[in-house]
Amino acid sequence: MAISDTTETGGTTVGTDSDLNHSSLRRRHSAASGFDADELVRDLDSSDSLNGKSNEEKDNDDDKKQQHATADNGNQNETGVRERVTDVKFTYRPYVPVHRRIRESPLSSDNIFKQSHAGLFNLCIVVLVAVNSRLIIENLMKYGWLIKYDFWFSSKSLRDWPLFMCCLSLAIFPLAAFFVEKLAYKRSISEPVVVLLHIIITTTAFSYPVLVILRCDSAFVSGVTLMLLTCIVWLKLVSYVHTNYDMRAITFSKEKGEALPNTLNMEYPYSVSFKSLAYFMVAPTLCYQLSYPRTPSVRKGWVFRQLIKLIIFTGVMGFIIEQYTYPIVRNSQHPLKGNLLYAMERVLKLSVPNVYVWLCMFYCFFHLWLNILAELLRFGDREFYKDWWNAKTVEDYWRMWNMPVHKWMVRHVYFPCLRIGLPKSAAIFIAFLLSAVLHELCIAIPCHMFKLWAFIGMMFQVPLGLITNYLQNKYRNSMVGNMIFWFIFCIFGQPMCVLLYYHDLMNRKGEVE
């Protein structure tokens, strides 16, 4: 038997007719001899035929193999044994080429991201479990049980009752906005009056909780919770007002007979409904619309399983904070007022538990809690995040990390800025500026101090985004931007902010006392 001298194309060669006639004999499965020919073919070359045949010829071989297998079932045992022995004699002769095309190693830079790494992921999980189990045991043997149960439940929390009452009273502001929109829908008040009333309502909705926190000596966790809830209510109110204003403007334009592009056709007629507002205020979204995609039913068993996961991962997060993060921070110095090498050692030591807490927080809130809430409300669109862990630039991270906030920024900040004539860079800067202000207020107000560390950290994302965009454009198909993102957020950014705010807070308490 001979192999054709025809030039290889696409890693295959064309064989002779005699090759086709004997192909089924060469590739027949050999079960009795213990030699699995088909498995060896897959090991040597999963895509090309080792005997130099094209895809069409291989298909013919498979058909012939099936026909031979059917015929073999009717033959006698002696004939079957002789055929299997012949199969071994003619299969994978030494003269058949094994290397037929150019290929990259699986871990090469051009091929590493074109295949699954599920096995390596499982290995990482096993290594993480083994290493962290040893560290947990070592920590418990050295320091003992450091968790204080009053971290979550304490009788001192009763002094935070004004903050709890403030949380309940936040429902007044959406109700006030609804009445204003109802009057505007009936055209009982003019548009400038509507805008003025909404400015008063949204400003009061944000400033009222701030004043309550500043006047009360509440716990930090209680203050952060109220501030986060306040920001959510404020963002929802802005979306509700802005969306109704836009629908009202389109409706008035149509009534005047103005020609509008097809893109401005509303899917639902303009209306003001208390039911739609009430659903929006509790739904896991920050963007108001008259109707949302809904799932047919609530999966009660699924909700129960997610609640169990939420409890478990919340406990893990609390364990890491109390057993690792807090002792490291408490035994450190102010990173800007001490030895530089010592500060770097503290930051690096804090980075690992900080990453674990950050990932647990993301999983508990963005995946578990928002999905539980969506399931209970039958909310259909559950894209609360994207694969931000694959972000190659800082801009990609902020577009994928928190989808509810990102969609709100795009809808109510970014494109409105473009529509009034601002350049794209200015619109991005304004979006980051608003985000930086909200981040700073959510931390500074509960701490009763303004150090602007969170604000500076958020605004630093603007030049960092430009740097990562430049590197990604220069080194295409690389993960240099992704590595910079992980380094900044996990090793340098968040641990440094934790140390800065902790020591500034401790210094403030010392001065007050």
Side-chain angles (χ1 to χ4, degrees):
M1 191 178 83
I3 295 179
S4 174
D5 293 332
T6 306
T7 304
E8 295 185 8
T9 303
T12 59
T13 59
V14 179
T16 63
D17 294 339
S18 61
D19 294 336
L20 295 177
N21 294 333
H22 294 287
S23 62
S24 62
L25 181 61
R26 291 196 309 269
R27 300 187 61 177
R28 187 179 299 136
H29 180 69
S30 176
S33 63
F35 181 77
D36 194 341
D38 292 338
E39 183 178 355
L40 185 56
V41 170
R42 290 192 296 268
D43 292 339
L44 292 177
D45 191 343
S46 60
S47 60
D48 297 338
S49 171
L50 292 179
N51 293 317
K53 292 184 288 297
S54 64
N55 292 334
E56 182 178 356
E57 292 171 336
K58 287 188 289 184
D59 293 338
N60 294 334
D61 289 347
D62 294 338
D63 295 337
K64 291 181 179 181
K65 184 171 64 175
Q66 294 177 0
Q67 295 174 4
H68 281 287
T70 303
D72 288 343
N73 292 333
N75 294 337
Q76 297 178 356
N77 294 335
E78 294 82 0
T79 305
V81 171
R82 286 197 301 270
E83 289 184 351
R84 283 192 288 273
V85 172
T86 306
D87 186 12
V88 174
K89 290 175 62 179
F90 287 95
T91 302
Y92 310 115
R93 300 298 292 266
Y95 71 88
V96 178
V98 174
H99 308 285
R100 291 188 168 273
R101 61 189 176 98
I102 299 174
R103 306 183 203 183
E104 296 288 343
S105 298
L107 296 179
S108 63
S109 59
D110 294 334
N111 203 31
I112 188 172
F113 298 111
K114 296 180 182 179
Q115 55 188 318
S116 173
H117 297 87
L120 292 178
F121 179 75
N122 292 334
L123 173 62
C124 291
I125 292 178
V126 171
V127 172
L128 284 174
V129 171
V131 172
N132 287 281
S133 297
R134 182 191 67 82
L135 292 177
I136 291 174
I137 295 174
E138 182 180 292
N139 180 275
L140 292 176
M141 294 175 61
K142 186 175 182 180
Y143 301 105
W145 189 261
L146 301 178
I147 296 178
K148 300 177 182 179
Y149 296 101
D150 57 357
F151 179 81
W152 304 102
F153 307 100
S154 173
S155 59
K156 296 181 180 179
S157 300
L158 296 176
R159 67 184 181 183
D160 296 337
W161 68 267
L163 276 66
F164 177 73
M165 298 303 297
C166 182
C167 287
L168 298 180
S169 62
L170 288 177
I172 298 175
F173 302 102
L175 188 62
F178 168 74
F179 283 120
V180 173
E181 285 297 324
K182 201 68 175 179
L183 294 175
Y185 177 74
K186 296 179 179 179
R187 304 185 184 182
S188 301
I189 54 179
S190 62
E191 197 64 34
V193 176
V194 173
V195 174
L196 178 61
L197 291 176
H198 279 311
I199 291 176
I200 295 174
I201 292 172
T202 54
T203 304
T204 307
F206 198 92
S207 58
Y208 166 58
V210 171
L211 294 176
V212 172
I213 296 175
L214 293 178
R215 291 181 62 89
C216 299
D217 186 17
S218 59
F220 174 76
V221 175
S222 301
V224 170
T225 303
L226 178 56
M227 282 303 304
L228 290 175
L229 184 60
T230 300
C231 289
I232 293 173
V233 172
W234 184 81
L235 294 173
K236 284 177 176 283
L237 284 177
V238 172
S239 180
Y240 178 72
V241 172
H242 196 183
T243 303
N244 278 296
Y245 173 84
D246 195 41
M247 290 192 296
R248 192 162 54 247
I250 294 175
T251 302
F252 291 168
S253 298
K254 288 183 177 180
E255 292 177 355
K256 294 178 181 178
E258 298 179 2
L260 298 175
N262 294 331
T263 55
L264 292 181
N265 290 333
M266 295 185 294
E267 297 182 7
Y268 302 95
Y270 168 56
S271 64
V272 178
S273 170
F274 179 77
K275 182 179 179 180
S276 62
L277 173 61
Y279 182 85
F280 167 63
M281 294 305 298
V282 294
T285 179
L286 299 175
C287 295
Y288 173 74
Q289 57 192 60
L290 293 174
S291 180
Y292 296 94
R294 305 287 294 276
T295 56
S297 61
V298 177
R299 299 170 292 177
K300 297 180 181 178
W302 184 88
V303 171
F304 177 76
R305 291 193 297 271
Q306 304 310 306
L307 284 173
I308 296 299
K309 292 180 183 178
L310 182 62
I311 295 173
I312 292 174
F313 279 92
T314 301
V316 170
M317 186 166 53
F319 174 81
I320 296 174
I321 292 175
E322 282 285 276
Q323 194 73 24
Y324 289 93
T325 303
Y326 183 64
I328 294 174
V329 174
R330 183 180 55 192
N331 297 327
S332 65
Q333 300 176 359
H334 198 288
L336 300 182
K337 298 179 180 179
N339 185 283
L340 179 60
L341 291 178
Y342 178 81
M344 293 177 60
E345 187 271 337
R346 290 287 97 179
V347 169
L348 292 175
K349 189 173 184 178
L350 183 61
S351 62
V352 175
N354 179 81
V355 170
Y356 290 159
V357 172
W358 180 40
L359 294 177
C360 287
M361 181 275 299
F362 159 77
Y363 186 72
C364 288
F365 181 76
F366 286 99
H367 183 73
L368 295 177
W369 170 245
L370 291 184
N371 274 288
I372 291 172
L373 187 60
E375 185 69 23
L376 294 176
L377 297 173
R378 295 171 47 215
F379 187 83
D381 187 3
R382 303 182 183 183
E383 190 185 46
F384 305 122
Y385 57 90
K386 293 184 179 180
D387 57 334
W388 54 266
W389 45 88
N390 292 326
K392 296 183 179 180
T393 65
V394 172
E395 288 186 8
D396 289 341
Y397 166 76
W398 290 111
R399 279 195 293 263
M400 298 186 294
W401 153 258
N402 188 342
M403 291 305 296
V405 172
H406 170 68
K407 293 175 181 177
W408 188 94
M409 287 287 183
V410 170
R411 191 190 199 198
H412 300 291
V413 177
Y414 180 75
F415 279 106
C417 290
L418 296 182
R419 281 193 287 269
I420 63 175
L422 292 178
K424 180 181 177 179
S425 57
I428 295 176
F429 179 82
I430 292 174
F432 271 102
L433 179 63
L434 177 59
S435 179
V437 171
L438 293 178
H439 277 79
E440 177 64 28
L441 291 177
C442 286
I443 300 178
I445 298 299
C447 291
H448 297 263
M449 64 180 185
F450 293 88
K451 293 294 184 177
L452 300 180
W453 300 125
F455 179 85
I456 295 173
M458 282 300 302
M459 295 308 299
F460 181 69
Q461 307 302 309
V462 177
L464 187 61
L466 297 176
I467 295 173
T468 53
N469 287 337
Y470 169 77
L471 293 176
Q472 192 59 38
N473 292 330
K474 185 176 181 180
Y475 304 101
R476 295 185 179 276
N477 299 325
S478 68
M479 298 296 288
V480 59
N482 183 260
M483 289 186 288
I484 293 176
F485 148 70
W486 281 115
F487 177 83
I488 294 297
F489 276 81
C490 299
I491 298 180
F492 177 74
Q494 294 185 7
M496 180 65 73
C497 284
V498 171
L499 291 177
L500 289 172
Y501 272 107
Y502 173 81
H503 286 287
D504 288 338
L505 182 61
M506 291 297 102
N507 293 336
R508 173 190 167 274
K509 287 185 176 180
E511 293 176 358
V512 172
E513 293 176 358

